[in-house]
Amino acid sequence: MDSSGPKKRRINDELSDSNNIACANSPLTPDMATMEKAKQIMENVKIKIQAIKNIDQPMTELKSYIVDVISKMDQIDKDNKRKAIIGVFGKSGNGKSSLLNAVLGEEDLLPPGSSGACTAVFTQVEANLDDSNYIAEIELFSVEEWDNMLRDLFNVLSDESEDRDDEMFETAKEKITALYGADADKKTLEELKSDEKFAEIGKFLSSPRKPISKSEKYDFANEVACYIQYSVSSPGGWYWPLVKNVRIKVPNCRELLEHIVLVDLPGTGDCSTNRDDLWKSILRECSSVWIVSDINRAITDKDPWGILKHCIKDLGPGGECKSINFICTKTDDIYPTAYIRSARLTNEQISGCKDPATVCILHRNNSTKDLVKTKFESLNPGTKKMMEKFSTDVFTVSSKAFFKQNSNMDHTETEIPRLQEVLKSINKEINRELTRDYVNDAKGVLSLIQIFAPNTNQEMVDTKVNEDLKDNLKKALTEFDSQFGKLYESLNKCLSEGVEKSVRLSVDTAEREVINPEQRDNRGFHKTLKALCNKRGRYWSKNWDTILDLNECLATHMQESINEEFNDLFPVNTTTEKSLQAHIGRVNIIQRDNMYCRSSVLHHIQNFIITRENKLKASLCRKVVKEKGPIYSSISTLIQEKMTPGYEKAAKVKGKGTLMKMQKTLTDTIESLKDDMFKDAETEVLEKFNSLKLYIKDALESELNRSMEPFHYKTGKTTLLDVSIEIEELSELVV
């Protein structure tokens, strides 16, 4: 008879009870229930350890060490495991807010896009796991930051020259009137400062954060609107120009967003370079991207495809992205008669159990999906090659029909449930990883405690074991160093090729792609180029139709030379033979021949070391993925820094022949800098790469040496606690 049967049933019953208790708020998944049970076991062990009295000094130190380790185990999902970030792109008016509301199942929660220009507020949406309130955490600029920005805005408004940037002028006007009211843009800065509203804004900014918490969705939506929305017809009292970002926490959506943050990424083209830099940094952290476009313009509108082309390097070699989804919205915005005629649908196609409108919607959905997939295939070779690294899918959604009670469309035909399943799947996978990591970590800690159990009192740890472990670590780190040296040389070779190509081709490439492109509007290009210089080499039009980045253009040849190497060194979805993650995985101080399993004590030592080792490696692998972006982007960052004096000089050019003078200034700057600039960029990448190696090596050495420290307490005369039952309970948990 299996003696473990009653115990196993008891554990399963407790898991079931824990699940049922939690259902009052939100149901626990099996993985979450397992995690809760494991935490309960470890909390009970910690209480027992803390209750031990009358022990000698070494055991007191060990007791403190174990209690500290158990207390920190809960931090694994807070400190070491970042949430998955999904970036949501799309112009104002394309239905992003309605899409997010539908996915969350919260109609009218997020307000629709501004009736004026697109605002530049980053809105993050995540789950409120603490209570049932709708919460917003609004981060504001400081008084000093806003004073500097306001001065810049008035400088833009005071520019009455023929070559002023009209888009920047309109942005400055909209910000000032949105905040201070109609005609505020017609005042001087000094006049505005004497206005009551100015003092009111200064007081408003005295606190860096504005929290909002409401139990009712309607009240919450009304109060948060002024921070993320704007209406041209009703100027004044719209605070979005003062906002850095808004974090919204939604209740009752644990299953969708427990480990996910949805980030509504607005367009750039803002007066603030800080917001542009934040835009790129968030982009590099996205594990998935949703590109949102009105289905009526999904193929013909160049905006979403321009976004994709421009962002692909930050998502791929320079980022953490795994998937790109193209989402066509407003699918039920259709005129059946006109569509039947244009699509040449036959009577057989529109007859049947569904009404003609639904038939047209579904026909257009399928046709659009095929066209979008064909468009993916027709991207330029460079973009298409990078796209191969991502999983891609196309969704055709109707947010309106999803909420409509008597819609002719089936619920699933709105495809909102498909997107919800995407989120649920990501959540489940992260929950599974967290649970597995926690349970394995717990097993290691219990093995450490069991080394000092009363029934092992006569077993001593031979000092040679510690010496062997330290020797194994030394050899593993030496091998890691050696292998990293080969990776360094391989990357260096690619970079050197990129430097040579950049020196040879950069001027021609910059002129052809940015400074003097063939396909440009000669009537206003001098304004675009001046705006680019004012923004230190970057220009995005508000409506996304023109995207120019001279820094990225100059970095192109170096980036193309290292892209394949970078994908091998820093993979996101898999582990390549050459990857840093693979080399970290090969650092093992326990040899896999069970040489330390000659006794129960040595067996537990091995278990503890392996679990600490695996936990550290997982953390370092996440660090590798996190650092790839800053290393890759350091090329364009350094170029921007070196080019800044040239940008400033070109931006000051005025009068007759402005365009040609600016073009010459930029070309001359590149020509004078190119030999040293690209070499410096190479050095910068290699230094950052080597710094990452040193960080990894130091972490492996210090943390693994620390994991061996408790063993010297095992003298054969000391005992702590027998946790064999707890070890068995953990082993029976299904992970």
Side-chain angles (χ1 to χ4, degrees):
M1 185 182 225
D2 183 4
S3 60
S4 68
K7 183 180 291 181
K8 187 174 293 187
R9 283 194 297 273
R10 176 170 56 83
I11 293 171
N12 289 336
D13 288 343
E14 289 176 6
L15 284 175
S16 177
D17 291 341
S18 134
N19 197 357
N20 291 334
I21 292 169
C23 281
N25 297 315
S26 59
L28 291 178
T29 65
D31 288 322
M32 294 163 62
T34 298
M35 171 82 90
E36 290 303 312
K37 177 57 182 174
K39 286 183 177 181
Q40 180 185 327
I41 291 171
M42 296 309 294
E43 182 62 26
N44 291 339
V45 168
K46 185 173 77 169
I47 292 171
K48 291 178 182 179
I49 292 285
Q50 289 173 321
I52 297 174
K53 307 292 183 184
N54 302 320
I55 52 177
D56 58 20
Q57 184 60 31
M59 281 294 96
T60 301
E61 293 175 8
L62 177 63
K63 171 183 167 181
S64 298
Y65 174 88
I66 292 171
V67 169
D68 182 59
V69 168
I70 296 175
S71 299
K72 289 179 178 177
M73 284 175 63
D74 270 350
Q75 296 300 314
I76 185 170
D77 56 335
K78 297 175 183 176
D79 298 338
N80 297 329
K81 203 80 170 178
R82 291 186 305 157
K83 291 189 174 185
I85 297 176
I86 298 179
V88 185
F89 296 84
K91 285 200 306 183
S92 181
N94 276 355
K96 284 189 297 179
S97 297
S98 297
L99 170 69
L100 294 178
N101 287 339
V103 168
L104 297 172
E106 296 279 2
E107 191 171 13
D108 298 325
L109 174 64
L110 303 175
S114 308
S115 60
C118 179
T119 62
V121 176
F122 293 84
T123 305
Q124 303 178 45
V125 182
E126 56 190 85
N128 177 9
L129 303 175
D130 299 322
D131 55 42
S132 59
N133 284 351
Y134 296 87
I135 294 173
E137 297 171 358
I138 300 163
E139 185 179 2
L140 304 172
F141 290 107
S142 67
V143 174
E144 183 181 359
E145 286 174 322
W146 176 243
D147 282 346
N148 292 333
M149 292 169 66
L150 194 59
R151 193 178 304 112
D152 291 341
L153 292 174
F154 271 91
N155 286 337
V156 171
L157 289 177
S158 65
D159 185 359
E160 297 180 353
S161 64
E162 292 183 1
D163 57 352
R164 79 178 185 191
D165 182 353
D166 292 335
E167 285 195 347
M168 289 290 256
F169 184 88
E170 287 302 316
T171 297
K173 179 179 176 180
E174 285 159 2
K175 283 190 171 187
I176 291 171
T177 56
L179 194 56
Y180 297 103
D183 298 329
D185 59 306
K186 295 181 174 60
K187 299 179 180 179
T188 65
L189 181 56
E190 288 68 28
E191 288 172 337
L192 188 68
K193 286 183 176 180
S194 64
D195 194 288
E196 276 185 20
K197 189 70 175 176
F198 187 87
E200 182 184 320
I201 294 298
K203 187 177 180 181
F204 179 80
L205 290 174
S206 61
S207 175
R209 285 178 174 78
K210 298 293 180 185
I212 296 173
S213 180
K214 298 290 181 181
S215 59
E216 296 297 326
K217 178 176 63 177
Y218 179 81
D219 295 336
F220 173 81
N222 281 347
E223 188 162 342
V224 81
C226 65
Y227 296 99
I228 57 180
Q229 193 180 23
Y230 171 46
S231 173
V232 173
S233 62
S234 179
W238 301 98
Y239 294 110
W240 64 263
L242 306 174
V243 176
K244 286 184 179 180
N245 65 75
V246 176
R247 174 175 292 181
I248 292 175
K249 297 184 177 182
V250 185
N252 307 316
C253 61
R254 177 188 290 272
E255 191 178 16
L256 291 172
L257 296 182
E258 182 181 8
H259 302 293
I260 296 174
V261 180
L262 298 172
V263 183
D264 183 351
L265 287 160
T268 59
D270 186 73
C271 295
S272 170
T273 55
N274 291 335
R275 276 187 170 130
D276 283 359
D277 292 337
L278 178 61
W279 196 96
K280 290 180 77 70
S281 68
I282 292 177
L283 184 67
R284 287 194 290 266
E285 293 180 358
C286 290
S287 57
S288 181
V289 163
W290 293 358
I291 299 177
V292 181
S293 180
D294 186 325
I295 193 168
N296 292 295
R297 302 190 297 271
I299 304 301
T300 57
D301 211 351
K302 61 182 181 180
D303 302 341
W305 303 100
I307 296 168
L308 180 61
K309 179 183 176 182
H310 184 75
C311 298
I312 195 71
K313 286 191 287 188
D314 284 316
L315 294 172
E320 305 175 24
C321 189
K322 300 176 183 178
S323 66
I324 296 176
N325 293 323
F326 200 99
I327 302 176
C328 304
T329 57
K330 304 184 180 181
T331 61
D332 55 356
D333 183 7
I334 196 168
Y335 296 96
T337 303
Y339 184 80
I340 289 170
R341 186 183 305 116
S342 64
R344 297 178 177 178
L345 298 184
T346 65
N347 288 331
E348 289 77 13
Q349 287 175 295
I350 61 175
S351 62
C353 58
K354 292 188 179 294
D355 70 292
T358 302
V359 171
C360 292
I361 289 169
L362 298 179
H363 183 273
R364 185 176 63 175
N365 288 354
N366 291 329
S367 298
T368 303
K369 286 180 181 180
D370 291 338
L371 289 171
V372 170
K373 291 173 183 177
T374 301
K375 186 91 172 181
F376 275 131
E377 291 299 317
S378 64
L379 293 169
N380 69 62
T383 304
K384 184 178 177 182
K385 188 171 181 62
M386 289 190 189
M387 285 292 295
E388 292 173 357
K389 304 294 181 182
F390 310 112
S391 63
T392 58
D393 204 348
V394 184
F395 296 78
T396 49
V397 304
S398 172
S399 306
K400 192 187 300 182
F402 178 77
F403 285 118
K404 195 173 180 181
Q405 294 294 325
N406 299 315
S407 172
N408 290 320
M409 293 179 70
D410 292 341
H411 204 56
T412 55
E413 289 172 341
T414 68
E415 296 206 12
I416 294 297
R418 268 189 73 205
L419 276 173
Q420 291 175 330
E421 283 303 317
V422 169
L423 299 181
K424 291 175 184 178
S425 177
I426 295 171
N427 253 333
K428 286 177 183 177
E429 181 58 31
I430 294 176
N431 262 324
R432 193 171 296 117
E433 288 178 10
L434 289 172
T435 302
R436 183 177 62 244
D437 291 347
Y438 187 92
V439 171
N440 288 338
D441 195 19
K443 288 178 181 178
V445 174
L446 293 184
S447 284
L448 172 63
I449 298 170
Q450 194 62 17
I451 294 169
F452 302 90
N455 60 346
T456 65
N457 192 38
Q458 299 306 313
E459 298 183 43
M460 295 179 60
V461 177
D462 191 335
T463 56
K464 189 175 185 306
V465 171
N466 252 348
E467 292 171 4
D468 287 346
L469 293 174
K470 290 181 180 295
D471 188 51
N472 289 344
L473 176 58
K474 185 177 180 181
K475 289 177 182 177
L477 292 176
T478 301
E479 179 62 18
F480 176 80
D481 222 10
S482 173
Q483 293 301 319
F484 188 91
K486 295 176 183 177
L487 300 180
Y488 183 95
E489 289 305 318
S490 180
L491 179 60
N492 191 12
K493 181 181 177 183
C494 295
L495 284 165
S496 296
E497 292 172 357
V499 169
E500 184 276 325
K501 192 180 292 185
S502 297
V503 171
R504 179 164 46 88
L505 301 174
S506 58
V507 174
D508 289 342
T509 303
E511 287 184 337
R512 184 178 66 254
E513 300 292 334
V514 177
I515 298 174
N516 191 21
E518 292 182 6
Q519 296 179 342
R520 63 177 172 85
D521 183 356
N522 289 310
R523 295 168 298 176
F525 186 68
H526 66 291
K527 296 181 180 181
T528 298
L529 199 60
K530 176 154 283 194
L532 177 142
C533 293
N534 280 320
K535 297 290 291 290
R536 298 177 65 200
R538 293 197 300 242
Y539 174 78
W540 284 47
S541 61
K542 281 187 188 178
N543 59 5
W544 302 72
D545 61 352
T546 303
I547 302 173
L548 296 174
D549 193 327
L550 185 52
N551 306 310
E552 287 294 337
C553 176
L554 291 170
T556 295
H557 298 300
M558 288 190 70
Q559 291 171 339
E560 287 177 347
S561 297
I562 67 170
N563 279 345
E564 285 302 315
E565 187 74 9
F566 231 72
N567 285 330
D568 285 342
L569 291 172
F570 299 95
V572 175
N573 284 327
T574 58
T575 300
T576 66
E577 185 70 17
K578 199 175 187 178
S579 68
L580 284 175
Q581 294 96 315
H583 288 291
I584 290 171
R586 294 186 189 111
V587 176
N588 298 309
I589 59 176
I590 295 290
Q591 305 305 311
R592 304 304 183 187
D593 56 4
N594 292 323
M595 65 179 292
Y596 298 115
C597 293
R598 296 186 295 268
S599 72
S600 62
V601 168
L602 295 176
H603 168 74
H604 289 302
I605 287 176
Q606 173 174 290
N607 284 348
F608 176 69
I609 290 290
I610 290 175
T611 56
R612 303 310 287 176
E613 195 178 80
N614 288 340
K615 181 179 181 180
L616 175 61
K617 288 178 184 178
S619 175
L620 290 174
C621 286
R622 290 191 290 272
K623 173 75 172 178
V624 165
V625 173
K626 182 181 178 182
E627 291 301 313
K628 68 176 289 198
I631 295 174
Y632 187 85
S633 65
S634 64
I635 298 173
S636 59
T637 300
L638 184 136
I639 288 172
Q640 183 183 56
E641 179 185 323
K642 298 289 186 182
M643 287 289 297
T644 294
Y647 293 139
E648 293 173 348
K649 183 179 179 181
K652 293 176 182 176
V653 174
K654 295 181 179 179
K656 188 176 180 180
T658 293
L659 177 60
M660 293 182 65
K661 290 176 184 177
M662 285 194 296
Q663 289 171 328
K664 187 176 186 307
T665 299
L666 292 173
T667 301
D668 289 349
T669 301
I670 298 169
E671 190 68 55
S672 66
L673 291 174
K674 64 182 184 180
D675 290 316
D676 292 332
M677 179 169 68
F678 296 115
K679 192 66 181 173
D680 289 346
E682 175 187 25
T683 301
E684 184 75 6
V685 172
L686 292 172
E687 285 181 354
K688 287 184 178 296
F689 188 58
N690 194 59
S691 294
L692 178 58
K693 186 264 307 219
L694 294 175
Y695 176 89
I696 293 169
K697 188 178 176 183
D698 288 348
L700 287 167
E701 185 171 19
S702 61
E703 290 300 314
L704 293 180
N705 271 320
R706 186 168 183 263
S707 69
M708 298 180 223
E709 289 177 4
F711 303 146
H712 74 268
Y713 295 123
K714 183 64 178 174
T715 62
K717 300 178 181 178
T718 54
T719 64
L720 204 58
L721 184 70
D722 187 340
V723 290
S724 56
I725 293 176
E726 286 83 355
I727 289 175
E728 187 178 348
E729 287 180 336
L730 276 181
S731 298
E732 291 172 350
L733 292 179
V734 178
V735 181

